[in-house]
Amino acid sequence: MPIRDLTDGDDLRLNEVFADADTPAAHMARSLFRPSSDSPLLRSVIAEVVPEVPVGAAAIAESPLHPYRAWAHVEVAAEEQGHGQGRELFEAVCAETVGTAVEGLDLRTRVQSGSSGAGFAQALGFTPLTTTRVIKVAAGALPPSGGGRAEDLEIVATGSVKLTKAFLAWYTAVNKDDAVGPLTIGQVNNAFLSEAVGAHGAALLDGDAGAAEDAGLSAFAVSYAREAEQTGVEITDAMPAAADDDEAPTELILGSMFETREEAVDTTSELFNAAIADAELLLARLSVDADVVLEVTSGMPVVSALADRLLEAGQASELYRYETLTGPPAEMN
């Protein structure tokens, strides 16, 4: 099967042969199908049956926030799947990484649970790393609570140093399974809390459930503009998920500072339950007048427990479920 480097305009040709991306993660993964570059480091290839009639593509890209693994994405047109083109594309793009900074790195890919892509990745040797759920909480589904705690709530600018430091500590903690590289305050702000990525509001809640170094901060939330420009933003857990509805809900990152504690999580402790209550209080106050969508990963014990409770009570619904899988280095395939 003819395989060549992906060039300008090939992304449009691929869109014509692929089915529409049905999840935000699938849409984000396809953004890797662009010409190879060295900054950011990306290698991409495309397969064609005849010139300008593609059947699939593959890409491997560096991951600046999580530099110990590289992103990989392979996709083949539905009618061509099952004939080996995907594996050929994967092997071809792996060969393109030889001599680059991603050679020898483990790979990661994100797939929808139970999809054909998940089965293909597992056949290549990829194994589960983390699970991400995207859940929706309807406006007013959570009754406003926490009477007498108005003094604990603080609305801050997304550029707040207090928020940025808290976000860095939390993001590092909840990504232990896919370690974060050394990050500066400026890098965190640019990647998650800047106008460029759509961050437009934030709230902090004080309580007893945070770590000692958090100076009383228990939970935080960051909201994102519905039409945020995400071009060039790294695919990663704990990023806002784009919504498909005409009346798009508010997109939130909800973080519990309990998750930054170094000791093992005791899910039966009073502090753990207090952390859930604080996260729920903050979510309730931010979802009074608007539907809210948030991502919950398996690295977030507090928010995961809250999500489970809301789903069981019918106060939230699950929109999507993704699996982030990890695979052996490209050179080993």
Side-chain angles (χ1 to χ4, degrees):
M1 180 178 62
I3 296 176
R4 61 170 174 81
D5 291 342
L6 193 148
T7 59
D8 287 331
D10 283 335
D11 57 337
L12 301 179
R13 298 185 185 96
L14 288 167
N15 286 338
E16 293 176 356
V17 299
F18 290 156
D20 291 341
D22 55 3
T23 68
H27 179 77
M28 189 72 77
R30 282 186 187 171
S31 70
L32 296 179
F33 292 154
R34 57 185 189 269
S36 297
S37 64
D38 291 328
S39 183
L41 181 57
L42 169 73
R43 294 294 181 265
S44 56
V45 296
I46 188 169
E48 297 176 325
V49 176
V50 296
E52 298 190 357
V53 181
V55 297
I60 292 177
E62 68 176 344
S63 180
L65 299 181
H66 302 256
Y68 310 109
R69 289 186 175 93
W71 279 109
H73 183 57
V74 180
E75 192 165 352
V76 175
E79 62 273 14
E80 299 291 339
Q81 292 176 7
H83 302 295
Q85 287 96 329
R87 184 176 290 273
E88 285 188 54
L89 280 161
F90 181 64
E91 292 174 350
V93 78
C94 286
E96 292 294 318
T97 67
V98 173
T100 72
V102 299
E103 181 183 8
L105 291 183
D106 284 355
L107 302 176
R108 82 167 74 69
T109 191
R110 178 179 280 187
V111 296
Q112 191 165 4
S113 300
S115 66
S116 59
F120 171 67
Q122 290 165 1
L124 291 176
F126 284 75
T127 57
L129 183 65
T130 59
T131 299
T132 300
R133 293 177 291 171
V134 180
I135 70 167
K136 178 179 179 180
V137 179
L142 302 180
S145 58
R149 292 193 60 186
E151 69 280 5
D152 293 334
L153 182 69
E154 180 183 5
I155 305 301
V156 299
T158 57
S160 158
V161 173
K162 181 178 180 180
L163 170 66
T164 308
K165 288 182 176 179
F167 196 106
L168 173 57
W170 168 83
Y171 188 76
T172 300
V174 300
N175 283 285
K176 288 187 177 71
D177 290 336
D178 191 15
V180 177
L183 296 176
T184 67
I185 294 297
Q187 287 173 313
V188 172
N189 187 270
N190 288 336
F192 297 103
L193 304 174
S194 65
E195 183 178 348
V197 296
H200 71 89
L204 307 176
L205 183 70
D206 287 340
D208 296 329
E213 59 269 23
D214 297 323
L217 179 62
S218 177
F220 67 85
V222 182
S223 61
Y224 291 81
R226 296 173 181 177
E227 300 298 330
E229 174 58 57
Q230 296 293 333
T231 302
V233 176
E234 180 183 357
I235 305 171
T236 176
D237 286 331
M239 282 295 290
D244 296 321
D245 299 335
D246 291 336
E247 293 297 326
T250 296
E251 298 160 5
L252 285 184
I253 287 180
L254 179 64
S256 170
M257 298 311 292
F258 183 92
E259 292 162 345
T260 67
R261 290 172 173 260
E262 293 184 1
E263 64 268 26
V265 174
D266 180 0
T267 59
T268 64
S269 70
E270 291 185 7
L271 275 179
F272 184 78
N273 289 320
I276 296 174
D278 284 352
E280 183 172 6
L281 186 157
L282 191 52
L283 180 60
R285 290 187 171 180
L286 297 175
S287 61
V288 171
D289 300 316
D291 295 351
V292 167
V293 167
L294 66 153
E295 286 192 354
V296 185
T297 78
S298 50
M300 305 174 187
V302 171
V303 182
S304 289
L306 173 59
D308 291 343
R309 178 188 298 176
L310 299 180
L311 290 166
E312 290 171 6
Q315 294 171 301
S317 57
E318 184 175 298
L319 301 181
Y320 316 108
R321 183 182 292 251
Y322 309 129
E323 300 292 338
T324 300
L325 309 178
T326 182
E331 64 181 10
M332 294 174 59
N333 292 283

